């Protein structure tokens, strides 16, 4: 999940530069962050399709759950930094994806 870590670090840098009172650049960056997380999710989904070992499949979904946790942590901070921008929308969507990945992990574990 090195890709998700690098994505998050780059997003953190860009997000830290957005003034708290400007929502448009925040929306663009949060949407971009969400799309990148969904890209990681699609990659994991493709990897597990070709895998027969249930333990390995569960491990992939566990890693994806952890990636969602990292993204959710960052978005949680954004909720505090940009309270007027409705960042909870993005936070809730990441949590939904996280819950889905956790269910898939439990199903294969």
């Amino acid at each position: 999940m090195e890709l998700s870590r690098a994505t998050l670090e780059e997003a953190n840098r860009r997000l830290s530069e957005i003034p708290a009172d400007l929502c448009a650049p925040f929306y663009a960056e949060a949407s971009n962050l969400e799309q990148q997380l969904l890209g990681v999710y699609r990659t994991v989904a493709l990897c597990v399709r070709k895998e027969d070992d249930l333990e390995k499949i569960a491990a992939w979904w566990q890693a994806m759950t952890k990636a969602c946790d990292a993204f959710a942590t960052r978005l949680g901070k954004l909720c505090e930094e940009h309270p007027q921008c409705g960042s909870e929308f993005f936070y809730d969507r990441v949590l939904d994806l996280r819950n889905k990945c956790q269910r898939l992990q439990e199903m294969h574990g």
Side-chain angles (χ1 to χ4, degrees), residues 26-27 30-31 34 75 86-95:
F26 164 78
Y27 292 141
S31 180
E34 180 185 26
L75 284 171
S87 55
E88 295 85 3
F89 169 78
F90 295 100
Y91 183 77
D92 290 345
R93 290 171 54 118
V94 169
L95 287 183

Side-chain angles (χ1 to χ4, degrees), residues 11-107:
N12 283 339
R13 186 192 58 74
R14 289 190 307 268
L15 287 164
S16 68
E17 297 171 358
I18 298 173
D21 59 339
L22 292 181
C23 290
F26 164 78
Y27 292 141
E29 194 58 49
S31 180
N32 182 42
L33 189 60
E34 180 185 26
Q35 290 307 310
Q36 290 182 27
L37 180 61
L38 289 171
V40 174
Y41 170 81
R42 284 189 285 277
T43 301
V44 169
L46 288 172
C47 289
V48 299
R49 278 193 192 147
K50 299 175 184 178
E51 183 62 59
D52 294 327
D53 185 332
L54 292 180
E55 287 183 23
K56 289 182 181 177
I57 292 172
W60 275 103
W61 289 121
Q62 180 181 26
M64 187 65 211
T65 300
K66 288 180 180 180
C68 289
D69 287 341
F71 277 71
T73 297
R74 180 57 186 133
L75 284 171
K77 289 178 186 173
L78 286 176
C79 290
E80 296 170 8
E81 295 167 5
H82 299 271
Q84 73 283 5
C85 293
S87 55
E88 295 85 3
F89 169 78
F90 295 100
Y91 183 77
D92 290 345
R93 290 171 54 118
V94 169
L95 287 183
D96 288 343
L97 181 61
R98 184 220 184 270
N99 291 338
K100 179 179 182 176
C101 293
Q102 186 174 22
R103 283 191 306 273
L104 288 165
Q105 175 193 346
E106 291 167 358
M107 187 171 68

